[in-house]
Amino acid sequence: MLLRDEEALNYLAVAILLAFPWLGTVLGTWGFIWGALILVAVFLVGRRRGLAIAAFSLLIGYAVPLIVFGATACNQMSFVPLAGLLGVLGWQKNWPVRVTFFWSAALASVLGTIPTLMGQAVSALNESDMINMTIQQYQASGLLAAMQQQGLTEIQFRDVLQQVIHIYALILPSFAALLAVAEFGFVFYFVRIWLKEDEERIPFTRWRLPWYAVWGAVLGIAFYLLGDQFAWTSLRGLGINVMVFYGALTLVLGASVFVYLLKSPKIPRFFKFALIFASFIYLFFSVVSLIMFGLFDIVFNFRRLPEES
């Protein structure tokens, strides 16, 4: 009975790869959960039936809506499940866990920005509509009149809204990339426990990326400086998005280092409580410190974790 259940699950996973991209486009059900289900199917088929079958099934599943609906389908579909193929390859090649995750998550972040770059960015018309709608809401609630009494005119308020929308549109790809990494990381963690129960799970205090991951942050800073120096808007925007992405990523890694230090028996308990209390009091400084800790830990390995952990 168990073998039959596993065989049925394998066929179901293949059916998901073939049908879900089409169904998600037709029904408009693409989202975090829909993409996560397809990604789980990629790992199941890849691990149990081979990478070739998983890749062939998934490519057919994506090809059908692209052929029928054309490029407009890219605005609805998530391409993050394609990064699962690289994760399966890493498992087959016995790469270290953090190496497999890093390269797969990097690919997922790039693939996750495709819908945003293809049509979900804020257009000039949408920008005008958003500003007018916000102005109307502030007028109806009386907040606009209160701001005008403080000396802020409607024209100045429109300029502020326009700047906020521009910043939002500029860093929108980085948020899409972070959401893609969160989706991939959740499924990767879940499937790794499910399919490899004999392996020891890596606790949060031992999370770390390969040392060469720091070059992504370096490139982000370089892109921003070059774009700002030569007035290359696209390169400058790319650098900003890379830095925002690495800021969130290294914040998580920095929190891992911080929790690791708090669990160390060599640090007095009073000093641990003082660090926690100070972290809440000086929240902005704490966040910046965690980001810097996470970034430099990639290179210096403050916790002296083994390279193959």
Side-chain angles (χ1 to χ4, degrees):
M1 185 65 181
L2 179 60
L3 293 178
R4 292 181 181 179
D5 291 342
E6 290 183 355
E7 191 68 20
L9 184 61
N10 293 337
Y11 282 114
L12 177 60
V14 174
I16 289 175
L17 297 183
L18 293 172
F20 268 41
W22 161 264
L23 291 176
T25 305
V26 174
L27 301 177
T29 53
W30 273 106
F32 185 93
I33 297 178
W34 200 259
L37 289 175
I38 299 177
L39 191 54
V40 170
V42 171
F43 285 126
L44 283 177
V45 177
R47 290 291 292 172
R48 292 179 174 178
R49 308 194 66 175
L51 179 61
I53 295 178
F56 182 72
S57 303
L58 186 62
L59 291 178
I60 291 179
Y62 274 95
V64 172
L66 289 175
I67 292 174
V68 175
F69 298 103
T72 56
C74 295
N75 299 336
Q76 302 180 35
M77 294 192 302
S78 170
F79 296 91
V80 175
L82 293 171
L85 299 175
L86 183 59
V88 174
L89 178 63
W91 281 345
Q92 291 182 348
K93 299 295 184 180
N94 293 320
W95 294 348
V97 176
R98 68 169 179 271
V99 173
T100 302
F101 175 79
F102 170 73
W103 289 111
S104 302
L107 179 59
S109 66
V110 175
L111 295 173
T113 61
I114 292 178
T116 300
L117 299 176
M118 288 293 292
Q120 293 181 354
V122 180
S123 64
L125 179 60
N126 291 334
E127 177 184 320
S128 178
D129 293 340
M130 291 173 63
I131 292 176
N132 292 332
M133 185 181 301
T134 304
I135 293 293
Q136 293 175 1
Q137 292 175 351
Y138 272 67
Q139 287 176 342
S141 62
L143 292 176
L144 183 61
M147 288 188 297
Q148 288 175 342
Q149 292 178 358
Q150 298 295 327
L152 182 66
T153 64
E154 181 177 339
I155 296 178
Q156 292 174 331
F157 185 54
R158 285 180 176 272
D159 292 337
V160 172
L161 289 177
Q162 189 175 25
Q163 293 176 5
V164 171
I165 292 175
H166 282 169
I167 295 175
Y168 170 76
L170 180 64
I171 63 176
L172 187 60
S174 64
F175 288 125
L178 288 171
L179 182 62
V181 171
E183 178 182 342
F184 179 85
F186 170 77
V187 176
F188 183 84
Y189 184 78
F190 169 76
V191 173
R192 187 169 177 270
I193 296 175
W194 183 14
L195 298 181
K196 294 191 173 184
E197 296 180 355
D198 56 329
E199 289 193 4
E200 182 182 358
R201 286 182 293 173
I202 300 177
F204 176 69
T205 55
R206 301 179 69 86
W207 285 11
R208 186 171 176 263
L209 292 178
W211 66 268
Y212 46 78
V214 74
W215 283 105
V218 175
L219 288 176
I221 297 174
F223 289 156
Y224 172 77
L225 294 177
L226 288 175
D228 188 64
Q229 177 67 28
F230 298 101
W232 294 339
T233 305
S234 299
L235 191 62
R236 178 175 175 270
L238 176 61
I240 292 176
N241 279 277
V242 172
M243 287 191 295
V244 171
F245 176 81
Y246 261 86
L249 185 65
T250 53
L251 177 62
V252 175
L253 297 178
S256 174
V257 176
F258 183 65
V259 175
Y260 179 87
L261 294 177
L262 291 179
K263 288 187 175 183
S264 175
K266 298 180 180 180
I267 300 178
R269 183 172 299 180
F270 173 78
F271 187 65
K272 295 178 181 179
F273 283 111
L275 282 176
I276 296 174
F277 181 76
S279 299
F280 286 101
I281 297 297
Y282 304 100
L283 185 60
F284 177 77
F285 177 77
S286 300
V287 171
V288 175
S289 299
L290 290 178
I291 291 175
M292 299 305 296
F293 262 111
L295 180 63
F296 285 105
D297 178 68
I298 297 176
V299 180
F300 297 108
N301 191 9
F302 297 130
R303 293 163 289 181
R304 296 296 185 267
L305 299 178
E307 289 297 323
E308 297 296 327
S309 62

